[in-house]
Amino acid sequence: IRVTLISGLVLVLACWGVGDVLLAERVPTLIVVAVAVADIVLARLTDVGAQAFQAFQLLSRTALLQALIALARLVAALLMARFGLLSSAEAWALAYLTTSVVTRVRCVGARIATDRAA
């Protein structure tokens, strides 16, 4: 996990730098960084969690993680629609990042529960 975090941080910083150079006038930095953290760091942590479940023959939990991600994003979109927060790309990026954090925390919690049960 340490390597994933370190390499992810390096790649996020690279995305931030490239985003500032290439997209500075069109895309706010917040969007670039939020999506980069969600997709480069947090998505990879979910992959690591899924691999851990596979190693213990817990494929139903691997599937549950993927379903949880989709469900969390759906709930976020519905809440944003309900409360009128759909007009901002920054709001979408933050919702995307938030759902990524929530599902990854759930992944870690499920992994700890699996360790305790074993």
Side-chain angles (χ1 to χ4, degrees), residues 59 64 77 83 106 116:
L59 297 178
L64 181 63
F83 294 107
R106 176 66 180 114
R116 288 185 182 156

Side-chain angles (χ1 to χ4, degrees), residues 24-84:
E25 295 179 14
R26 293 174 282 172
V27 180
T29 302
L30 173 66
I31 294 173
V32 173
V33 172
V35 172
V37 169
D39 281 346
I40 293 173
V41 178
L42 298 174
R44 185 64 189 128
L45 290 176
T46 298
D47 293 343
V48 170
Q51 290 170 356
F53 288 135
Q54 288 175 346
F56 289 99
Q57 302 296 320
L58 298 170
L59 297 178
S60 62
R61 294 212 180 166
T62 300
L64 181 63
L65 288 177
Q66 299 304 321
L68 182 62
I69 293 167
L71 180 63
R73 290 189 177 143
L74 174 64
V75 168
L78 292 173
L79 288 172
M80 290 176 71
R82 171 68 177 99
F83 294 107

Side-chain angles (χ1 to χ4, degrees), residues 69-115:
I69 293 167
L71 180 63
R73 290 189 177 143
L74 174 64
V75 168
L78 292 173
L79 288 172
M80 290 176 71
R82 171 68 177 99
F83 294 107
L85 301 172
L86 298 175
S87 63
S88 165
E90 288 91 348
W92 279 104
L94 288 175
Y96 188 76
L97 177 60
T98 301
T99 58
S100 294
V101 169
V102 167
T103 55
R104 279 35 172 216
V105 166
R106 176 66 180 114
C107 172
V108 170
R111 178 69 183 118
I112 291 170
T114 301
D115 285 346

